[in-house]
């Protein structure tokens, strides 16, 4: 996200924070928090877990600001930290799960077909393994190029392509199975 003319850039804010400026990190966070929160909620599904993952990520970024090497944009660096925190939380929840909820218990009725479609696609997306979901999320939802997604996820472009392709095939299968069948 570009700063308004006259405001400090993301890199300047991060450097100022690392140098001891008490307000710089807060300004950086408020510049990016909507996008980072949306990423966390889309990946983790549960708003409370997403908030926890985002908080853990921001603490990690706050503590690690001095280690930022400026090989990527600060926004991409923050995105990657949030992504990693979300994946960690998903792995933790998978190994510590105590109860499986029936999807019908979580369904939220909506009066518009568009919202129903969005819910169906989101539910289908959540059935994907985290690696496939992050590739689909980065390219198809966040709009990154395959190269940009590869840099963000820290994997090869070919890996992004294969995970995305497998994820999209799986999504198509899940959505096809969920669609009402004519009798």
């Amino acid at each position: 996200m570009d700063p308004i003319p006259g405001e400090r850039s993301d890199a300047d804010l991060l450097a100022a924070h690392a140098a001891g400026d008490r307000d710089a990190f807060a300004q950086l966070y408020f510049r990016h928090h909507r996008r980072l929160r949306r990423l966390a909620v889309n990946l983790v599904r549960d708003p409370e877990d997403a908030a926890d993952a985002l908080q853990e990520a921001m603490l990690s970024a706050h503590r690690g600001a001095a280690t930022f090497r400026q090989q990527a944009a600060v926004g991409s660096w923050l995105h990657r930290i949030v992504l990693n925190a979300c994946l960690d939380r998903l792995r933790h929840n998978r190994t510590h799960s105590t109860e499986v909820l029936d999807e019908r218990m979580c369904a939220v009725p909506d009066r518009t077909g568009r919202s129903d479609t969005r819910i169906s696609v989101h539910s289908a997306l959540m059935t994907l393994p985290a690696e496939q979901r992050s590739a689909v999320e980065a390219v198809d939802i966040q709009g990154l190029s395959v190269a940009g997604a590869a840099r963000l996820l820290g994997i090869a472009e070919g890996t992004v392509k294969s995970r995305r392709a497998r994820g999209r095939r799986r999504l198509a299968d899940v959505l096809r199975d969920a669609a009402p069948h004519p009798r």
Side-chain angles (χ1 to χ4, degrees), residues 14 17-18 25 28-29 36 53-68 74 77-82 85:
L14 193 60
H17 164 68
F25 193 82
L28 186 63
Y29 172 74
L36 297 174
L54 181 59
Q55 183 176 7
E56 290 167 12
M58 290 300 95
L59 285 171
S60 178
H62 188 271
R63 290 181 192 125
T67 64
F68 179 67
V74 173
W77 179 70
L78 291 171
H79 189 279
R80 178 66 186 180
I81 292 171
V82 171

PDB file of all heavy atoms in Angstrom, residues 14 17-18 25 28-29 36 53-68 74 77-82 85:
ATOM      1  N   LEU A  14       9.312   1.017   9.205  1.00  0.00           N
ATOM      2  CA  LEU A  14       9.928  -0.159   9.814  1.00  0.00           C
ATOM      3  C   LEU A  14      11.326   0.177  10.331  1.00  0.00           C
ATOM      4  O   LEU A  14      11.699  -0.229  11.431  1.00  0.00           O
ATOM      5  CB  LEU A  14       9.976  -1.311   8.816  1.00  0.00           C
ATOM      6  CG  LEU A  14      10.299  -2.678   9.407  1.00  0.00           C
ATOM      7  CD1 LEU A  14       9.253  -3.091  10.440  1.00  0.00           C
ATOM      8  CD2 LEU A  14      10.378  -3.723   8.311  1.00  0.00           C
ATOM      9  N   HIS A  17      10.959   2.220  13.450  1.00  0.00           N
ATOM     10  CA  HIS A  17      10.602   1.347  14.576  1.00  0.00           C
ATOM     11  C   HIS A  17      11.836   0.626  15.107  1.00  0.00           C
ATOM     12  O   HIS A  17      12.062   0.581  16.318  1.00  0.00           O
ATOM     13  CB  HIS A  17       9.541   0.328  14.145  1.00  0.00           C
ATOM     14  CG  HIS A  17       9.395  -0.817  15.091  1.00  0.00           C
ATOM     15  ND1 HIS A  17       8.892  -0.666  16.358  1.00  0.00           N
ATOM     16  CD2 HIS A  17       9.730  -2.125  14.959  1.00  0.00           C
ATOM     17  CE1 HIS A  17       8.907  -1.843  16.969  1.00  0.00           C
ATOM     18  NE2 HIS A  17       9.410  -2.732  16.132  1.00  0.00           N
ATOM     19  N   ALA A  18      12.641   0.072  14.197  1.00  0.00           N
ATOM     20  CA  ALA A  18      13.843  -0.650  14.604  1.00  0.00           C
ATOM     21  C   ALA A  18      14.828   0.269  15.320  1.00  0.00           C
ATOM     22  O   ALA A  18      15.568  -0.171  16.195  1.00  0.00           O
ATOM     23  CB  ALA A  18      14.506  -1.298  13.388  1.00  0.00           C
ATOM     24  N   PHE A  25       5.683   1.574  14.343  1.00  0.00           N
ATOM     25  CA  PHE A  25       5.089   0.267  14.051  1.00  0.00           C
ATOM     26  C   PHE A  25       3.567   0.355  14.061  1.00  0.00           C
ATOM     27  O   PHE A  25       2.904  -0.286  13.239  1.00  0.00           O
ATOM     28  CB  PHE A  25       5.576  -0.808  15.027  1.00  0.00           C
ATOM     29  CG  PHE A  25       5.236  -2.195  14.560  1.00  0.00           C
ATOM     30  CD1 PHE A  25       6.031  -2.842  13.634  1.00  0.00           C
ATOM     31  CD2 PHE A  25       4.099  -2.846  15.016  1.00  0.00           C
ATOM     32  CE1 PHE A  25       5.724  -4.112  13.174  1.00  0.00           C
ATOM     33  CE2 PHE A  25       3.776  -4.114  14.562  1.00  0.00           C
ATOM     34  CZ  PHE A  25       4.595  -4.747  13.644  1.00  0.00           C
ATOM     35  N   LEU A  28       2.486   1.630  10.767  1.00  0.00           N
ATOM     36  CA  LEU A  28       2.647   0.575   9.767  1.00  0.00           C
ATOM     37  C   LEU A  28       1.513  -0.444   9.882  1.00  0.00           C
ATOM     38  O   LEU A  28       0.910  -0.834   8.883  1.00  0.00           O
ATOM     39  CB  LEU A  28       4.003  -0.105   9.957  1.00  0.00           C
ATOM     40  CG  LEU A  28       4.405  -1.138   8.930  1.00  0.00           C
ATOM     41  CD1 LEU A  28       4.555  -0.497   7.554  1.00  0.00           C
ATOM     42  CD2 LEU A  28       5.722  -1.776   9.352  1.00  0.00           C
ATOM     43  N   TYR A  29       1.198  -0.841  11.099  1.00  0.00           N
ATOM     44  CA  TYR A  29       0.123  -1.816  11.314  1.00  0.00           C
ATOM     45  C   TYR A  29      -1.216  -1.259  10.821  1.00  0.00           C
ATOM     46  O   TYR A  29      -1.943  -1.934  10.108  1.00  0.00           O
ATOM     47  CB  TYR A  29       0.020  -2.201  12.793  1.00  0.00           C
ATOM     48  CG  TYR A  29      -1.193  -3.039  13.076  1.00  0.00           C
ATOM     49  CD1 TYR A  29      -1.235  -4.368  12.692  1.00  0.00           C
ATOM     50  CD2 TYR A  29      -2.313  -2.494  13.692  1.00  0.00           C
ATOM     51  CE1 TYR A  29      -2.362  -5.139  12.922  1.00  0.00           C
ATOM     52  CE2 TYR A  29      -3.437  -3.263  13.926  1.00  0.00           C
ATOM     53  CZ  TYR A  29      -3.461  -4.585  13.546  1.00  0.00           C
ATOM     54  OH  TYR A  29      -4.577  -5.339  13.767  1.00  0.00           O
ATOM     55  N   LEU A  36      -4.369  -7.622   6.185  1.00  0.00           N
ATOM     56  CA  LEU A  36      -3.803  -8.721   6.959  1.00  0.00           C
ATOM     57  C   LEU A  36      -4.889  -9.470   7.730  1.00  0.00           C
ATOM     58  O   LEU A  36      -4.868 -10.693   7.820  1.00  0.00           O
ATOM     59  CB  LEU A  36      -2.731  -8.191   7.912  1.00  0.00           C
ATOM     60  CG  LEU A  36      -1.516  -7.550   7.231  1.00  0.00           C
ATOM     61  CD1 LEU A  36      -0.599  -6.925   8.261  1.00  0.00           C
ATOM     62  CD2 LEU A  36      -0.779  -8.544   6.352  1.00  0.00           C
ATOM     63  N   ALA A  53      -3.968 -15.429  15.574  1.00  0.00           N
ATOM     64  CA  ALA A  53      -2.867 -15.610  14.614  1.00  0.00           C
ATOM     65  C   ALA A  53      -2.322 -14.260  14.167  1.00  0.00           C
ATOM     66  O   ALA A  53      -1.103 -14.083  14.071  1.00  0.00           O
ATOM     67  CB  ALA A  53      -3.337 -16.423  13.411  1.00  0.00           C
ATOM     68  N   LEU A  54      -3.215 -13.302  13.919  1.00  0.00           N
ATOM     69  CA  LEU A  54      -2.782 -11.967  13.507  1.00  0.00           C
ATOM     70  C   LEU A  54      -1.977 -11.301  14.622  1.00  0.00           C
ATOM     71  O   LEU A  54      -0.934 -10.691  14.376  1.00  0.00           O
ATOM     72  CB  LEU A  54      -3.989 -11.102  13.122  1.00  0.00           C
ATOM     73  CG  LEU A  54      -3.682  -9.697  12.642  1.00  0.00           C
ATOM     74  CD1 LEU A  54      -2.776  -9.706  11.419  1.00  0.00           C
ATOM     75  CD2 LEU A  54      -4.983  -8.968  12.319  1.00  0.00           C
ATOM     76  N   GLN A  55      -2.436 -11.456  15.864  1.00  0.00           N
ATOM     77  CA  GLN A  55      -1.714 -10.865  16.989  1.00  0.00           C
ATOM     78  C   GLN A  55      -0.324 -11.505  17.126  1.00  0.00           C
ATOM     79  O   GLN A  55       0.669 -10.798  17.314  1.00  0.00           O
ATOM     80  CB  GLN A  55      -2.505 -11.050  18.277  1.00  0.00           C
ATOM     81  CG  GLN A  55      -1.839 -10.405  19.480  1.00  0.00           C
ATOM     82  CD  GLN A  55      -2.688 -10.523  20.738  1.00  0.00           C
ATOM     83  OE1 GLN A  55      -3.707 -11.198  20.755  1.00  0.00           O
ATOM     84  NE2 GLN A  55      -2.259  -9.856  21.785  1.00  0.00           N
ATOM     85  N   GLU A  56      -0.248 -12.823  17.021  1.00  0.00           N
ATOM     86  CA  GLU A  56       1.045 -13.511  17.095  1.00  0.00           C
ATOM     87  C   GLU A  56       1.961 -13.034  15.973  1.00  0.00           C
ATOM     88  O   GLU A  56       3.153 -12.814  16.190  1.00  0.00           O
ATOM     89  CB  GLU A  56       0.842 -15.025  16.998  1.00  0.00           C
ATOM     90  CG  GLU A  56       0.175 -15.626  18.215  1.00  0.00           C
ATOM     91  CD  GLU A  56      -0.313 -17.053  17.984  1.00  0.00           C
ATOM     92  OE1 GLU A  56       0.070 -17.663  16.959  1.00  0.00           O
ATOM     93  OE2 GLU A  56      -1.091 -17.536  18.826  1.00  0.00           O
ATOM     94  N   ALA A  57       1.400 -12.882  14.781  1.00  0.00           N
ATOM     95  CA  ALA A  57       2.195 -12.435  13.642  1.00  0.00           C
ATOM     96  C   ALA A  57       2.727 -11.019  13.857  1.00  0.00           C
ATOM     97  O   ALA A  57       3.893 -10.739  13.568  1.00  0.00           O
ATOM     98  CB  ALA A  57       1.362 -12.501  12.362  1.00  0.00           C
ATOM     99  N   MET A  58       1.881 -10.140  14.359  1.00  0.00           N
ATOM    100  CA  MET A  58       2.320  -8.765  14.560  1.00  0.00           C
ATOM    101  C   MET A  58       3.369  -8.667  15.674  1.00  0.00           C
ATOM    102  O   MET A  58       4.301  -7.869  15.583  1.00  0.00           O
ATOM    103  CB  MET A  58       1.122  -7.855  14.868  1.00  0.00           C
ATOM    104  CG  MET A  58       0.205  -7.636  13.659  1.00  0.00           C
ATOM    105  SD  MET A  58       1.021  -6.874  12.223  1.00  0.00           S
ATOM    106  CE  MET A  58       1.473  -8.296  11.255  1.00  0.00           C
ATOM    107  N   LEU A  59       3.242  -9.503  16.698  1.00  0.00           N
ATOM    108  CA  LEU A  59       4.285  -9.538  17.731  1.00  0.00           C
ATOM    109  C   LEU A  59       5.603 -10.022  17.132  1.00  0.00           C
ATOM    110  O   LEU A  59       6.674  -9.476  17.433  1.00  0.00           O
ATOM    111  CB  LEU A  59       3.864 -10.444  18.888  1.00  0.00           C
ATOM    112  CG  LEU A  59       2.822  -9.872  19.826  1.00  0.00           C
ATOM    113  CD1 LEU A  59       2.331 -10.940  20.801  1.00  0.00           C
ATOM    114  CD2 LEU A  59       3.377  -8.679  20.591  1.00  0.00           C
ATOM    115  N   SER A  60       5.511 -11.021  16.274  1.00  0.00           N
ATOM    116  CA  SER A  60       6.705 -11.532  15.611  1.00  0.00           C
ATOM    117  C   SER A  60       7.332 -10.457  14.719  1.00  0.00           C
ATOM    118  O   SER A  60       8.553 -10.278  14.720  1.00  0.00           O
ATOM    119  CB  SER A  60       6.329 -12.766  14.790  1.00  0.00           C
ATOM    120  OG  SER A  60       7.434 -13.262  14.099  1.00  0.00           O
ATOM    121  N   ALA A  61       6.502  -9.756  13.966  1.00  0.00           N
ATOM    122  CA  ALA A  61       7.015  -8.684  13.102  1.00  0.00           C
ATOM    123  C   ALA A  61       7.608  -7.554  13.938  1.00  0.00           C
ATOM    124  O   ALA A  61       8.662  -7.007  13.597  1.00  0.00           O
ATOM    125  CB  ALA A  61       5.897  -8.145  12.207  1.00  0.00           C
ATOM    126  N   HIS A  62       6.947  -7.215  15.026  1.00  0.00           N
ATOM    127  CA  HIS A  62       7.423  -6.156  15.918  1.00  0.00           C
ATOM    128  C   HIS A  62       8.805  -6.502  16.457  1.00  0.00           C
ATOM    129  O   HIS A  62       9.722  -5.681  16.443  1.00  0.00           O
ATOM    130  CB  HIS A  62       6.422  -5.976  17.073  1.00  0.00           C
ATOM    131  CG  HIS A  62       6.685  -4.802  17.939  1.00  0.00           C
ATOM    132  ND1 HIS A  62       7.503  -4.878  19.031  1.00  0.00           N
ATOM    133  CD2 HIS A  62       6.225  -3.527  17.876  1.00  0.00           C
ATOM    134  CE1 HIS A  62       7.539  -3.707  19.618  1.00  0.00           C
ATOM    135  NE2 HIS A  62       6.774  -2.857  18.939  1.00  0.00           N
ATOM    136  N   ARG A  63       8.947  -7.752  16.914  1.00  0.00           N
ATOM    137  CA  ARG A  63      10.231  -8.184  17.479  1.00  0.00           C
ATOM    138  C   ARG A  63      11.304  -8.354  16.399  1.00  0.00           C
ATOM    139  O   ARG A  63      12.483  -8.138  16.666  1.00  0.00           O
ATOM    140  CB  ARG A  63      10.055  -9.517  18.204  1.00  0.00           C
ATOM    141  CG  ARG A  63       9.255  -9.421  19.460  1.00  0.00           C
ATOM    142  CD  ARG A  63       9.147 -10.793  20.133  1.00  0.00           C
ATOM    143  NE  ARG A  63       8.162 -10.753  21.179  1.00  0.00           N
ATOM    144  CZ  ARG A  63       7.130 -11.581  21.264  1.00  0.00           C
ATOM    145  NH1 ARG A  63       6.959 -12.541  20.371  1.00  0.00           N
ATOM    146  NH2 ARG A  63       6.271 -11.469  22.243  1.00  0.00           N
ATOM    147  N   GLY A  64      10.894  -8.765  15.211  1.00  0.00           N
ATOM    148  CA  GLY A  64      11.862  -9.071  14.164  1.00  0.00           C
ATOM    149  C   GLY A  64      12.123  -7.951  13.184  1.00  0.00           C
ATOM    150  O   GLY A  64      12.767  -8.175  12.155  1.00  0.00           O
ATOM    151  N   ALA A  65      11.652  -6.760  13.473  1.00  0.00           N
ATOM    152  CA  ALA A  65      11.799  -5.647  12.525  1.00  0.00           C
ATOM    153  C   ALA A  65      13.257  -5.368  12.181  1.00  0.00           C
ATOM    154  O   ALA A  65      13.578  -5.044  11.033  1.00  0.00           O
ATOM    155  CB  ALA A  65      11.144  -4.389  13.091  1.00  0.00           C
ATOM    156  N   ALA A  66      14.141  -5.524  13.134  1.00  0.00           N
ATOM    157  CA  ALA A  66      15.556  -5.229  12.885  1.00  0.00           C
ATOM    158  C   ALA A  66      16.185  -6.231  11.930  1.00  0.00           C
ATOM    159  O   ALA A  66      17.217  -5.945  11.312  1.00  0.00           O
ATOM    160  CB  ALA A  66      16.328  -5.217  14.201  1.00  0.00           C
ATOM    161  N   THR A  67      15.548  -7.398  11.758  1.00  0.00           N
ATOM    162  CA  THR A  67      16.109  -8.421  10.869  1.00  0.00           C
ATOM    163  C   THR A  67      15.578  -8.310   9.443  1.00  0.00           C
ATOM    164  O   THR A  67      15.999  -9.080   8.583  1.00  0.00           O
ATOM    165  CB  THR A  67      15.811  -9.842  11.409  1.00  0.00           C
ATOM    166  OG1 THR A  67      14.395 -10.045  11.397  1.00  0.00           O
ATOM    167  CG2 THR A  67      16.365 -10.022  12.814  1.00  0.00           C
ATOM    168  N   PHE A  68      14.675  -7.383   9.181  1.00  0.00           N
ATOM    169  CA  PHE A  68      14.124  -7.202   7.834  1.00  0.00           C
ATOM    170  C   PHE A  68      15.245  -6.833   6.883  1.00  0.00           C
ATOM    171  O   PHE A  68      15.995  -5.895   7.116  1.00  0.00           O
ATOM    172  CB  PHE A  68      13.036  -6.127   7.840  1.00  0.00           C
ATOM    173  CG  PHE A  68      12.441  -5.863   6.487  1.00  0.00           C
ATOM    174  CD1 PHE A  68      11.681  -6.819   5.854  1.00  0.00           C
ATOM    175  CD2 PHE A  68      12.656  -4.649   5.846  1.00  0.00           C
ATOM    176  CE1 PHE A  68      11.125  -6.591   4.605  1.00  0.00           C
ATOM    177  CE2 PHE A  68      12.102  -4.405   4.595  1.00  0.00           C
ATOM    178  CZ  PHE A  68      11.341  -5.381   3.983  1.00  0.00           C
ATOM    179  N   VAL A  74       7.737  -4.270   2.417  1.00  0.00           N
ATOM    180  CA  VAL A  74       7.342  -4.472   3.808  1.00  0.00           C
ATOM    181  C   VAL A  74       5.959  -5.110   3.877  1.00  0.00           C
ATOM    182  O   VAL A  74       5.719  -6.012   4.687  1.00  0.00           O
ATOM    183  CB  VAL A  74       7.388  -3.140   4.599  1.00  0.00           C
ATOM    184  CG1 VAL A  74       6.823  -3.314   5.998  1.00  0.00           C
ATOM    185  CG2 VAL A  74       8.812  -2.612   4.661  1.00  0.00           C
ATOM    186  N   TRP A  77       6.312  -8.718   3.301  1.00  0.00           N
ATOM    187  CA  TRP A  77       6.946  -9.316   4.478  1.00  0.00           C
ATOM    188  C   TRP A  77       5.910  -9.543   5.573  1.00  0.00           C
ATOM    189  O   TRP A  77       5.841 -10.630   6.150  1.00  0.00           O
ATOM    190  CB  TRP A  77       8.069  -8.394   4.951  1.00  0.00           C
ATOM    191  CG  TRP A  77       8.818  -8.820   6.170  1.00  0.00           C
ATOM    192  CD1 TRP A  77       9.690  -9.870   6.284  1.00  0.00           C
ATOM    193  CD2 TRP A  77       8.791  -8.174   7.450  1.00  0.00           C
ATOM    194  NE1 TRP A  77      10.191  -9.914   7.554  1.00  0.00           N
ATOM    195  CE2 TRP A  77       9.663  -8.883   8.286  1.00  0.00           C
ATOM    196  CE3 TRP A  77       8.122  -7.065   7.952  1.00  0.00           C
ATOM    197  CZ2 TRP A  77       9.885  -8.527   9.611  1.00  0.00           C
ATOM    198  CZ3 TRP A  77       8.344  -6.707   9.271  1.00  0.00           C
ATOM    199  CH2 TRP A  77       9.208  -7.426  10.090  1.00  0.00           C
ATOM    200  N   LEU A  78       5.064  -8.549   5.828  1.00  0.00           N
ATOM    201  CA  LEU A  78       4.008  -8.697   6.827  1.00  0.00           C
ATOM    202  C   LEU A  78       3.015  -9.778   6.409  1.00  0.00           C
ATOM    203  O   LEU A  78       2.571 -10.588   7.230  1.00  0.00           O
ATOM    204  CB  LEU A  78       3.279  -7.364   7.040  1.00  0.00           C
ATOM    205  CG  LEU A  78       4.080  -6.261   7.712  1.00  0.00           C
ATOM    206  CD1 LEU A  78       3.308  -4.938   7.656  1.00  0.00           C
ATOM    207  CD2 LEU A  78       4.437  -6.626   9.138  1.00  0.00           C
ATOM    208  N   HIS A  79       2.659  -9.798   5.121  1.00  0.00           N
ATOM    209  CA  HIS A  79       1.735 -10.802   4.593  1.00  0.00           C
ATOM    210  C   HIS A  79       2.290 -12.198   4.852  1.00  0.00           C
ATOM    211  O   HIS A  79       1.571 -13.093   5.295  1.00  0.00           O
ATOM    212  CB  HIS A  79       1.543 -10.553   3.090  1.00  0.00           C
ATOM    213  CG  HIS A  79       0.474 -11.372   2.461  1.00  0.00           C
ATOM    214  ND1 HIS A  79       0.667 -12.674   2.072  1.00  0.00           N
ATOM    215  CD2 HIS A  79      -0.810 -11.079   2.136  1.00  0.00           C
ATOM    216  CE1 HIS A  79      -0.441 -13.150   1.536  1.00  0.00           C
ATOM    217  NE2 HIS A  79      -1.355 -12.198   1.556  1.00  0.00           N
ATOM    218  N   ARG A  80       3.573 -12.386   4.596  1.00  0.00           N
ATOM    219  CA  ARG A  80       4.215 -13.689   4.790  1.00  0.00           C
ATOM    220  C   ARG A  80       4.213 -14.088   6.270  1.00  0.00           C
ATOM    221  O   ARG A  80       3.974 -15.252   6.606  1.00  0.00           O
ATOM    222  CB  ARG A  80       5.646 -13.642   4.248  1.00  0.00           C
ATOM    223  CG  ARG A  80       6.420 -14.911   4.428  1.00  0.00           C
ATOM    224  CD  ARG A  80       5.823 -16.015   3.620  1.00  0.00           C
ATOM    225  NE  ARG A  80       6.513 -17.246   3.931  1.00  0.00           N
ATOM    226  CZ  ARG A  80       6.231 -18.391   3.392  1.00  0.00           C
ATOM    227  NH1 ARG A  80       5.274 -18.484   2.510  1.00  0.00           N
ATOM    228  NH2 ARG A  80       6.883 -19.461   3.726  1.00  0.00           N
ATOM    229  N   ILE A  81       4.461 -13.142   7.156  1.00  0.00           N
ATOM    230  CA  ILE A  81       4.468 -13.440   8.587  1.00  0.00           C
ATOM    231  C   ILE A  81       3.068 -13.858   9.038  1.00  0.00           C
ATOM    232  O   ILE A  81       2.902 -14.818   9.795  1.00  0.00           O
ATOM    233  CB  ILE A  81       4.998 -12.239   9.402  1.00  0.00           C
ATOM    234  CG1 ILE A  81       6.489 -12.037   9.108  1.00  0.00           C
ATOM    235  CG2 ILE A  81       4.766 -12.435  10.893  1.00  0.00           C
ATOM    236  CD1 ILE A  81       7.062 -10.765   9.675  1.00  0.00           C
ATOM    237  N   VAL A  82       2.034 -13.152   8.568  1.00  0.00           N
ATOM    238  CA  VAL A  82       0.654 -13.511   8.916  1.00  0.00           C
ATOM    239  C   VAL A  82       0.308 -14.873   8.332  1.00  0.00           C
ATOM    240  O   VAL A  82      -0.298 -15.718   9.008  1.00  0.00           O
ATOM    241  CB  VAL A  82      -0.342 -12.424   8.442  1.00  0.00           C
ATOM    242  CG1 VAL A  82      -1.781 -12.889   8.609  1.00  0.00           C
ATOM    243  CG2 VAL A  82      -0.115 -11.127   9.207  1.00  0.00           C
ATOM    244  N   ALA A  85       1.881 -17.522  10.469  1.00  0.00           N
ATOM    245  CA  ALA A  85       1.183 -17.648  11.755  1.00  0.00           C
ATOM    246  C   ALA A  85      -0.141 -18.390  11.583  1.00  0.00           C
ATOM    247  O   ALA A  85      -0.517 -19.219  12.419  1.00  0.00           O
ATOM    248  CB  ALA A  85       0.948 -16.266  12.376  1.00  0.00           C
TER     249      ALA A  85
END
